[in-house]
Structures are given as C-alpha cells and as structure tokens.
C-alpha cells in the first residue's frame, strides 16, 4: 500500500524571481536597441518596477512593436530615445490600440509628419492624453474659436498644453470675461491662436492680469490690448516692479516709462540683465543718451550678438574708411531687414571695403 504524502509547497508569485533577473537585460535592451544612455536606461527600468511591467517588457513583443511604430511614423532615433527616457511606459503600449489612433487624428487634422513628431518629442502628453476625453474635445473647442483646422494647428504649435487640460473649464471662462469687457471676437481669436497659454491661466490670475493691463490705460477694443495682456501675463507684479526700477536707474522719468510700456508692452518681458546690457552698449558704443535709446524701445528687444553688435561693427569700419559720410547713425539702421541691410551696407561696399562683409559674417557666426 502506497502512502500519499501531501507536501505543501509555498506559492511563488509569478515572475518574482524572473523579474529580478530581467532588470540587467532590460537595461541592456534599452541601451542597445533604444539608444538610451546607461543612466537613462537604469532610470527607465526603475519606473517599470511592477512585476507585471517587467514580465511584459521581458517578452520584448510590445517594445519591438512600439519601436516599429515610431520608426514608421518618421521619429528620428534621437526623438525615440527622448520619448522613452521621458515616459518608459510607452514600451508597454499596444500601438494599434493606443498610439496609432492619436497619430492618425493629428495627421488627419493637418499636422505635418515632421511637425507632429517634433511636438510629441517635446511633450509626450500628446500621445498620453485620452483621444476621446481630451484631445478631440480640446481640438473641437479651439475650432469653435479659430474656425479652421489650420488655425487650430497653429495654436497647438504655440502651446501643446492645450491637449493637456480641459479647455471648456480652463479657457472658456477667460474668453467670456474678455467678451464681457469689450474685447472684439477677432482679437480673442488672435490671442487664442498666437498665445493660447494666456487664456489657460486660472480665472484669478487672469483677472489680475486684466486689471494690470487696464491700469496701463489700454482700451479693450484696441489690438494692443491683447499684446499687453500677453506681456503682463508672463510676469508677476513683483517682477514688473523690479524691471521698471531698472529703467528708472537710467534716469528715465516714470511717466515716460509708463508711456513706452504702453506703446511696446513686450519690453517688460526682457530680462533685467538684457535691459542693462542693451542700454550700456548703445551708451558706450554710440554715445546715445538713455532717453534717446528709450525713444525707440524696440532697440532693446533686438539681439545684441546677432544684430546690434555686428551692425555697429559695420558702422565703425565704414566710419574709419571715411565711407559713412556726415549723416549720423539712427535707430532705423538696426531696424532694416537683413536683406535690405546687406544690399545697402555690405554688398555696395564690397569692392571698396571687403572687410565689412567679412567682419559682419564672422560676428554673426559667433
């Protein structure tokens, strides 16, 4: 007679031991196949920490199909690496079910392949957000304001966060406020297209920005109103005060500062360091007084390295060669388009003074 001996064997959770062995191989897979750096691969592996995650990645069936999906839609190797570094759980996706419908929607809506791959690489939420609950409703909401797919695409290119929030709750109340104070529908649409993030502020902060713009003396019906709204929305009250103090430090009267800010609101978005550098450059190189510089506030918004300094070098060379003449240098010299500047001051003196073009191009390359 055989005795049956019942032995209770402890139950080992599926993949409990296997998963610990897979961590090194997963890291190698991410570096060898996906191009992640060792540090990025380790970080990505740690984010896929659950047993089920490890087991799914270990089969490599999903990751390989995801890689094939990204490649087939024109993502570059560096873009693919960036995507997986930022959101490793893409490795667990079913491309046909979760990724392809979103890509199809974007392409069908007017995004070019190169544009949408670039946008997704900079913001993975474009592929993470729900198509039915977030992406399509947001697109449709914007279209009620902007009317065409082309304009909606332009707005998304300015701020991909429009597909990350509920625009009906976030943007609609602010648009209603603008309508209520008399901002024309066309101007609201322009703001939504060029600076949608302004309309996605909380109602409280948006209201504060509106009050500041109104105190500056802007009329809601004027086109400059939305430009000023964008400028002040980007900075806090404390930051604005600090920047105004920088302008005052050059001896500029407060009423003139307020007048210039109203004329060109974007000058409050310049960094304090750039304001000082720009004033200092014009004062030192051209001996311009601060009030003369400030009479053309757009001067302060120009790049010192790429536009102002190279053009001043051209001026100095022409003066040294007695080719400038008696006329003084004026702000318009810096406002000319590159094409007109090249034709008037570089090509026309190429035979008499070839170093003008050489110096200018050298400084632009630096």
């Amino acid at each position: 007679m055989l005795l049956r001996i019942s032995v209770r064997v402890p139950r080992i959770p599926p993949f409990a031991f296997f998963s610990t062995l897979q961590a090194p191989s997963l890291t190698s897979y991410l570096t060898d196949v996906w191009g992640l750096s060792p540090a990025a691969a380790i970080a990505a592996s740690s984010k896929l920490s659950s047993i089920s995650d490890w087991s799914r990645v270990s089969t490599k069936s999903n990751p390989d199909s995801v890689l094939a999906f990204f490649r087939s839609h024109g993502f570059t190797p560096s873009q693919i690496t960036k995507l997986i570094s930022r959101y490793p759980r893409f490795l667990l996706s079913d491309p046909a079910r979760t990724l392809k419908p979103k890509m199809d929607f974007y392409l069908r809506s007017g995004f070019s392949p190169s544009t949408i791959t670039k946008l997704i690489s900079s913001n993975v939420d474009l592929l993470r957000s729900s198509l039915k609950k977030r992406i399509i409703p947001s697109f449709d909401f914007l279209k009620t304001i902007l009317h065409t797919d082309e304009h909606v695409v332009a707005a998304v290119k300015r701020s991909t966060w429009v597909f990350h929030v509920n625009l009906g709750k976030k943007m609609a109340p602010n648009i209603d406020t603008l309508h209520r104070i008399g901002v024309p529908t066309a101007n609201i649409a322009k703001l939504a297209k060029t600076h949608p993030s302004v309309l996605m502020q909380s109602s409280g902060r948006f209201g504060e920005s509106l009050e500041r713009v109104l105190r500056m003396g802007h009329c809601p019906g004027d086109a400059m109103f939305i430009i000023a709204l964008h400028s002040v929305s980007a900075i806090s009250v404390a930051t604005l005060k600090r920047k105004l103090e920088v302008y005052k430090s050059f001896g500029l009267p407060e009423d003139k500062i307020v007048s210039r800010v109203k004329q060109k609101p974007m000058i409050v978005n310049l960094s304090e360091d750039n304001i000082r550098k720009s004033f200092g450059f014009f004062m030192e190189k051209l001996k311009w007084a601060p009030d003369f510089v400030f009479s053309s506030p757009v001067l302060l918004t120009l790049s010192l390295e790429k536009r102002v300094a190279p053009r001043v070098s051209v001026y100095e060379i022409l003066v040294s060669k007695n080719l400038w003449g008696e006329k003084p240098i004026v702000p318009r010299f810096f406002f000319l388009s590159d094409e007109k500047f090249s034709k008037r001051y570089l090509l026309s003196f190429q035979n008499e003074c070839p170093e003008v073009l050489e110096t200018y191009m050298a400084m632009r390359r630096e």
Side-chain angles (χ1 to χ4, degrees):
M1 183 176 178
L2 297 174
L3 296 176
R4 293 184 177 180
I5 301 174
S6 177
V7 180
R8 184 177 180 82
V9 179
R11 184 176 181 276
I12 300 176
F15 306 108
F17 178 70
F18 177 70
S19 65
T20 62
L21 295 178
Q22 290 304 306
S25 62
L26 175 61
T27 301
S28 299
Y29 176 68
L30 293 175
T31 55
D32 297 341
V33 177
W34 290 84
L36 273 67
S37 67
I42 292 172
S45 298
S46 67
K47 293 178 182 178
L48 299 168
S49 57
S50 72
I51 293 173
S52 61
D53 285 350
W54 286 117
S55 63
R56 289 166 65 188
V57 175
S58 69
T59 65
K60 295 185 184 177
S61 58
N62 273 10
D64 287 346
S65 65
V66 173
L67 180 59
F69 170 83
F70 285 138
R71 285 175 173 170
S72 69
H73 282 82
F75 287 86
T76 65
S78 62
Q79 288 174 333
I80 294 173
T81 298
K82 185 187 295 185
L83 285 172
I84 300 305
S85 296
R86 292 182 175 178
Y87 190 65
R89 289 185 68 85
F90 276 138
L91 295 169
L92 312 177
S93 301
D94 178 351
R97 187 176 64 86
T98 62
L99 302 181
K100 188 176 184 299
K102 295 171 187 176
M103 285 296 294
D104 288 347
F105 174 80
Y106 290 133
L107 296 172
R108 189 169 61 248
S109 298
F111 291 90
S112 69
S114 60
T115 294
I116 195 58
T117 54
K118 182 179 180 180
L119 293 177
I120 291 172
S121 299
S122 64
N123 186 352
V124 297
D125 285 324
L126 288 176
L127 280 184
R128 290 181 58 193
S129 297
S130 168
L131 180 62
K132 293 183 178 180
K133 295 180 179 179
R134 184 70 74 216
I135 297 173
I136 292 177
S138 294
F139 193 95
D140 290 344
F141 179 88
L142 286 173
K143 195 168 181 179
T144 62
I145 304 168
L146 303 176
H147 306 301
T148 69
D149 289 352
E150 181 183 3
H151 288 168
V152 174
V153 169
V156 176
K157 289 165 70 173
R158 299 288 294 188
S159 176
T160 54
W161 283 99
V162 296
F163 287 152
H164 188 65
V165 299
N166 186 328
L167 295 185
K169 292 183 178 180
K170 202 78 172 175
M171 189 179 282
N174 294 334
I175 290 176
D176 289 342
T177 300
L178 292 178
H179 278 302
R180 193 166 57 251
I181 66 173
V183 178
T185 299
N187 291 357
I188 296 174
K190 185 176 181 180
L191 181 62
K193 179 183 175 182
T194 56
H195 301 293
S197 58
V198 173
L199 294 170
M200 291 191 287
Q201 298 178 90
S202 67
S203 296
R205 182 170 179 180
F206 186 75
E208 292 174 358
S209 297
L210 279 180
E211 288 181 11
R212 288 156 65 188
V213 174
L214 290 169
R215 284 199 300 269
M216 289 167 63
H218 288 284
C219 174
D222 295 341
M224 187 60 69
F225 187 88
I226 61 169
I227 297 175
L229 179 58
H230 166 247
S231 293
V232 302
S233 295
I235 58 176
S236 66
V237 174
T239 300
L240 176 59
K241 287 182 178 179
R242 285 202 311 272
K243 292 183 179 182
L244 295 181
E245 288 301 320
V246 174
Y247 287 117
K248 288 181 182 179
S249 70
F250 288 97
L252 300 169
E254 186 170 349
D255 60 339
K256 188 169 186 176
I257 296 172
V258 172
S259 174
R260 289 293 178 260
V261 170
K262 182 180 179 181
Q263 178 188 354
K264 296 293 180 184
M266 70 284 293
I267 65 174
V268 301
N269 300 119
L270 301 171
S271 72
E272 295 166 49
D273 186 50
N274 279 346
I275 295 171
R276 293 190 181 95
K277 283 183 178 179
S278 293
F279 268 110
F281 186 90
F282 288 116
M283 292 165 64
E284 179 184 349
K285 284 285 188 178
L286 302 178
K287 308 305 179 186
W288 285 355
D291 60 341
F292 181 78
V293 175
F294 207 48
S295 65
S296 299
V298 176
L299 285 170
L300 303 174
T301 69
L302 303 176
S303 169
L304 279 179
E305 294 77 14
K306 298 298 182 182
R307 176 169 289 221
V308 176
R311 293 192 180 193
V312 167
S313 293
V314 168
Y315 164 73
E316 291 175 335
I317 293 173
L318 292 177
V319 168
S320 69
K321 301 291 184 179
N322 294 318
L323 295 172
W324 181 262
E326 298 297 324
K327 60 182 183 298
I329 186 171
V330 294
R332 188 173 178 275
F333 177 74
F334 300 100
F335 301 152
L336 291 173
S337 68
D338 286 340
E339 182 181 357
K340 289 183 177 179
F341 181 83
S342 178
K343 189 177 296 185
R344 187 174 303 179
Y345 295 103
L346 302 180
L347 300 181
S348 62
F349 291 104
Q350 196 167 9
N351 293 329
E352 298 171 271
C353 189
E355 62 262 41
V356 166
L357 179 59
E358 295 170 3
T359 301
Y360 178 81
M361 295 306 295
M363 293 189 70
R364 288 288 297 264
R365 285 194 295 268
E366 290 178 358

